[in-house]
Amino acid sequence: MTKAKLLALMAIMAMVLALPAMVLAQAPPRPAVFGGSATLDGVTAADGTAVTATIDGVVAATTTLSGGNYAFSIAQPPGSSYAGKEIIFKVGTGSAAQKATWTADGGDILNLTAVSGPPPATAIPVPPVASAVGPAGPAGAAGASGVAGPAGAKGDKGDAGATGNAGAAGSAGAAGIDGTAGTAGTAGAAGAAGPAGSAGSAGADGAAGKAAGGGGMLSIIALIVAVVALVAAGGGIVMGGRR
């Protein structure tokens, strides 16, 4: 291989290696994507309301609301650069208070709140004017108390508290009334006869007995005779009656 052919081959390889870098360098930057909700004059904007994004006074992207939400991508046009530029949003004819900065492959969820008409001018703060102020006056009397508000709803029942200590024992109660007497029980069976006691000693003869010892026998004999006589007399009466 000659030197000229070698140089030509090296030049072709350098071009092939440089081609991807050239293609990447010419590719446009990726767009910025924004989305979120949108309100107009304090209420959710109606479906179909236009939402626009303006850069440098030119509309860069537009879409319509659906369900109160929007979403669009803002691509950088060929030959122009949006990098670092401010994006102004509008909902219908109203200008949104929110703004953003364009960044390649950037974006955010941005909820827009718009007001009809031109955006309000930024107020310029005015420095306070010094004025002579006299000493503060005495404090006024306190105002009357306002009317008490209605009672609040009853709260939920709280948890049960811990069990308290046992109390001291109470004093003894008074004695109860005596109960009525019960009915008498049945008489018990007679017990067995006890054993006969031993015979006592003979008593002493009386004085009268000793004096009339002899007269006693005569009295007995006389009594027997009288009985016999009475029986005999009675038998005679019966027999005489029969005659």
Side-chain angles (χ1 to χ4, degrees), residues 2 28 38 69 76 96-98 101 113 132 158 162 173 185 194 200 206 224 235:
T2 63
N69 296 306
Q76 178 177 274
Q98 292 75 22
T101 301
T113 55
I224 294 171

Side-chain angles (χ1 to χ4, degrees), residues 67-159:
N69 296 306
Y70 77 98
F72 50 36
S73 62
I74 305 175
Q76 178 177 274
S80 299
S81 175
Y82 283 166
K85 291 189 177 181
E86 184 180 63
I87 306 172
I88 298 175
F89 299 92
K90 295 186 69 174
V91 180
T93 59
S95 299
Q98 292 75 22
K99 297 180 181 180
T101 301
W102 193 93
T103 304
D105 201 20
D108 198 357
I109 295 176
L110 191 64
N111 297 324
L112 304 177
T113 55
V115 179
S116 299
T122 305
I124 300 175
V126 178
V129 178
S131 60
V133 180
S145 301
V147 179
K154 183 178 179 180
D156 296 334
K157 183 178 180 181
D159 297 333

Side-chain angles (χ1 to χ4, degrees), residues 19-20 23-24 30 48 53 71 84 91 107 109 150-151 168-169 193 223 238:
L19 183 60
V23 172
L24 291 175
R30 294 172 63 85
V91 180
I109 295 176
L223 178 61
V238 174

Side-chain angles (χ1 to χ4, degrees), residues 22-47:
M22 295 172 63
V23 172
L24 291 175
Q26 294 177 359
R30 294 172 63 85
V33 179
F34 293 90
S37 62
T39 61
L40 181 60
D41 296 329
V43 296
T44 301
D47 289 355

